[in-house]
Amino acid sequence: MAKKTSYSYIGIAFIILVFGIIFIPKIIDRLSNSDVIRDESRSQSVSTQEPENKNQSDLVYIPDGQGGNRRVPAFSFTNQNGEIITNEDYLGKVYLVEFFFTTCPTICPRMSNNLVQIQNHFKEYSDNFGVASFTIMPEVDTPEVLKSYAQKYGVTNPNWHLMTGDEETIYNLANEGFYLYTAKGEDAAGFEHSGNFALIDKQGYIRSRLTSKDNPLIYYNGIISEEEGLDDEGIPQEISILKEDIAKLLKE
């Protein structure tokens, strides 16, 4: 029995030796000639390759989970001037999307101030840039209330529509259409919504830059101002990079 075991070990050692003689030089040769695929573990959900069209921005599209890119859902609401506004009114324009309400006591005033600052920054592009603000408290935010709010904050861009309409439709648009969180409360203090902005290109697609980890940012923090720089938790403002990315899309 001991002799058979010894022979088995010798046989295994011989096979390993032959494998090393034959295959290791080939592996080394492949490495030295860069013949090994480098992106096997790279995520394929978002393309990080340089676009073929050099005039195209480097902002990525957001996958919709069904093999396509996430696009703005169809919508139709009434704006602060009593006009019916749909998603088609924004085609050919770069714009931002937010969900808010006029009696919001916390983040909405900060978001509105940041949007006005962005509006003023792109004043020369008022024909090609806009904002879509959807109230999540439509029973209070009538067109008249929205118009007063717009005047209070200095909304001057003709393509900035503050919209109201059917409550359920608005919440579905936020949570299922844009994946921007909203939740209804019993009073103004209880309503919850995302403090982020979505960036939309001229064709109606949600666009974003990539983070340092090659993942799409998707949405931009709309609460922290450029002047603040950081919030109390050390989170940096994203208004500056948002303005950079708006400028890129305006050139497309």
Side-chain angles (χ1 to χ4, degrees):
M1 182 67 68
K3 289 184 178 180
K4 289 184 179 181
T5 303
S6 299
Y7 293 150
S8 298
Y9 287 146
I10 292 171
I12 293 172
F14 178 75
I15 292 171
I16 293 173
L17 178 62
V18 171
F19 177 87
I21 293 172
I22 296 174
F23 292 104
I24 289 179
K26 293 185 178 181
I27 294 173
I28 294 174
D29 182 64
R30 289 189 67 197
L31 288 171
S32 62
N33 288 284
S34 301
D35 191 33
V36 177
I37 297 174
R38 299 176 59 189
D39 60 350
E40 291 175 342
S41 63
R42 183 178 296 169
S43 172
Q44 300 298 319
S45 60
V46 176
S47 175
T48 60
Q49 295 181 354
E50 187 174 336
E52 294 181 2
N53 180 0
K54 300 298 182 179
N55 294 322
Q56 182 180 352
S57 75
D58 57 356
L59 301 179
V60 298
Y61 294 85
I62 310 303
D64 62 5
Q66 299 177 353
N69 296 316
R70 193 179 302 175
R71 194 168 189 172
V72 173
F75 63 79
S76 179
F77 296 103
T78 304
N79 74 356
Q80 69 269 33
N81 298 316
E83 304 166 329
I84 300 299
I85 301 298
T86 74
N87 55 296
E88 293 186 356
D89 290 303
Y90 286 98
L91 290 177
K93 300 175 178 63
V94 176
Y95 65 105
L96 299 176
V97 169
E98 68 151 348
F99 290 86
F100 83 114
F101 58 105
T102 61
T103 54
C104 170
T106 53
I107 64 175
C108 291
R110 302 177 68 184
M111 295 170 66
S112 296
N113 283 326
N114 283 333
L115 284 173
V116 169
Q117 201 269 344
I118 294 172
Q119 165 200 258
N120 295 339
H121 182 80
F122 291 100
K123 188 175 182 179
E124 297 179 3
Y125 300 90
S126 59
D127 291 338
N128 302 314
F129 173 69
V131 179
S133 299
F134 301 95
T135 176
I136 63 170
M137 207 170 181
E139 69 274 15
V140 173
D141 292 339
T142 62
E144 294 77 17
V145 171
L146 292 175
K147 188 167 187 175
S148 177
Y149 186 88
Q151 292 172 342
K152 174 183 176 182
Y153 281 90
V155 173
T156 58
N157 185 306
N159 297 310
W160 187 342
H161 302 287
L162 290 79
M163 291 173 274
T164 188
D166 178 72
E167 181 181 272
E168 182 178 357
T169 303
I170 292 173
Y171 277 80
N172 286 338
L173 180 67
N175 292 316
E176 300 176 15
F178 285 100
Y179 302 97
L180 287 169
Y181 172 75
T182 58
K184 185 178 180 181
E186 296 181 358
D187 52 34
F191 277 71
E192 299 178 5
H193 64 94
S194 169
N196 293 329
F197 300 145
L199 175 59
I200 317 300
D201 70 12
K202 295 176 183 178
Q203 286 72 45
Y205 289 98
I206 301 175
R207 301 284 289 278
S208 169
R209 64 170 53 196
L210 293 174
T211 68
S212 58
K213 296 181 180 179
D214 289 340
N215 294 315
L217 183 64
I218 305 182
Y219 303 116
Y220 299 76
N221 187 305
I223 302 173
I224 311 167
S225 69
E226 286 185 298
E227 291 74 20
E228 290 174 306
L230 301 170
D231 69 1
D232 295 338
E233 297 179 358
I235 299 175
Q237 60 87 15
E238 295 178 350
I239 301 302
S240 296
I241 63 172
L242 176 55
K243 289 195 292 187
E244 292 176 2
D245 294 347
I246 291 171
K248 291 177 181 179
L249 291 183
L250 285 170
K251 294 178 181 179
E252 285 192 349

